[in-house]
Amino acid sequence: MPAEKPKVAFITGAGRGIGRGIALVLAEKGFRIVVNDMQASADLDETLALLAARGAEAKAVVGDIAAIDHHQDLIETAWAEFGRIDCLVNNAGVSVATRGDILDVTSQSFDRLITINLRGPFFLTQACARRMVATPTAGFRSIITISSMNAEAASPDRAEYCISKTGLSMMTKLFALRLAGEGIHTYEIRPGVIRTAMTAVAKDKYDRIFADNGAPLSRWGEPEDVGRAVATLASGAFPYSTGEVVHVDGGLSLPTL
């Protein structure tokens, strides 16, 4: 019997930050990797170079997840690179352009966050799930969505971001119910304060929190911390779980008294 080919992961927003960290850890675990970003860039080239340095089979597929009319083409192109997708990682997303008073949130900012962070991943997941359902396999398959601890922790200075991430949390549960019978598992990962360009704007704030032991594991998280959680779930280590939430936040979300 021929050996099973390595699994394939398709990771959105993998040009840098958490997406790149996820890609690198999955590659170390033997996955073949399809990395996505909204456009070709030096960042995306660097991700590919880092993957190649690890001996990984990796391809890049450019496409904007907010452009839902192109989702079918995006999924088909990604699928064609290695002939399958075993794990979709919904990682791409944005933060608010400007943090500020919830009373000052504009409809333009709200629509931008919902379009990119929620509407895009919902319809991309739908397109990928349809392709997976149409191509049954006995292997473990998963859809892993990177949300945020702001799916439960309110930050009034970026209200629209919080709302978009809360929507992703429900999305994961809904797809879990629909896809369980198809052998496709869904999971949500809620990162805490991860060292990326997105969190750099609030570096001083978070440095103070960690210096004051404001979290049980009082340090910055790294993109690879999220990558390790994704790799564990995508490997099929929890075959009797679906629709679950995994916190990667150093215990920051733990209720305390």
Side-chain angles (χ1 to χ4, degrees):
M1 180 180 296
E4 184 180 356
K5 291 183 178 180
K7 292 184 181 297
V8 177
F10 176 39
I11 307 156
T12 67
R16 59 181 183 172
I18 290 176
R20 177 184 287 174
I22 292 169
L24 295 178
V25 176
L26 283 173
E28 291 169 358
K29 300 300 183 182
F31 281 73
R32 293 175 289 172
I33 308 295
V34 182
V35 291
N36 156 264
D37 219 340
M38 66 183 301
Q39 59 189 12
S41 67
D43 285 335
L44 192 58
D45 290 342
E46 184 177 352
T47 296
L48 287 171
L50 290 168
L51 289 166
R54 286 161 171 75
E57 294 183 74
K59 303 288 186 180
V61 173
V62 173
D64 185 355
I65 64 162
I68 64 173
D69 290 345
H70 298 289
H71 279 181
Q72 192 61 44
D73 289 341
L74 183 60
I75 291 297
E76 290 301 329
T77 301
W79 191 285
E81 292 293 351
F82 295 111
R84 58 200 276 190
I85 294 174
D86 299 291
C87 176
L88 168 65
V89 183
N90 288 311
N91 168 73
V94 296
S95 187
V96 294
T98 305
R99 298 186 184 213
D101 192 334
I102 188 174
L103 301 182
D104 296 327
V105 172
T106 65
S107 60
Q108 291 83 2
S109 180
F110 187 92
D111 290 348
R112 171 177 173 264
L113 269 291
I114 296 300
T115 296
I116 298 172
N117 288 1
L118 180 55
R119 184 174 182 263
F122 177 87
F123 285 104
L124 187 69
T125 298
Q126 183 189 72
C128 189
R130 285 173 172 167
R131 188 66 169 87
M132 287 176 161
V133 168
T135 314
T137 178
F140 187 87
R141 296 191 291 182
S142 59
I143 296 171
I144 302 172
T145 297
I146 311 303
S147 64
S148 167
M149 65 178 294
N150 280 125
E152 58 185 326
S155 295
D157 63 344
R158 47 201 165 111
E160 58 271 54
Y161 178 82
C162 297
I163 292 168
S164 70
K165 295 300 184 177
T166 301
L168 289 178
S169 184
M170 179 54 71
M171 182 190 88
T172 297
K173 295 179 177 67
L174 294 167
F175 277 110
L177 292 170
R178 173 60 181 86
L179 298 175
E182 308 288 350
I184 302 167
H185 301 244
T186 79
Y187 305 100
E188 175 195 356
I189 292 179
R190 292 183 186 169
V193 182
I194 308 298
R195 196 189 311 272
T196 66
M198 185 182 292
T199 54
V201 297
K203 181 179 184 301
D204 290 344
K205 170 187 174 181
Y206 295 128
D207 281 344
R208 287 193 301 271
I209 290 173
F210 296 136
D212 293 337
N213 292 316
L217 302 177
S218 210
R219 67 165 175 86
W220 282 81
E222 303 296 340
E224 288 77 9
D225 288 318
V226 181
R228 293 182 191 99
V230 170
T232 300
L233 295 171
S235 72
F238 299 99
Y240 196 50
S241 297
T242 192
E244 294 295 333
V245 178
V246 176
H247 293 84
V248 184
D249 63 3
L252 193 59
S253 61
L254 288 172
T256 59
L257 180 61

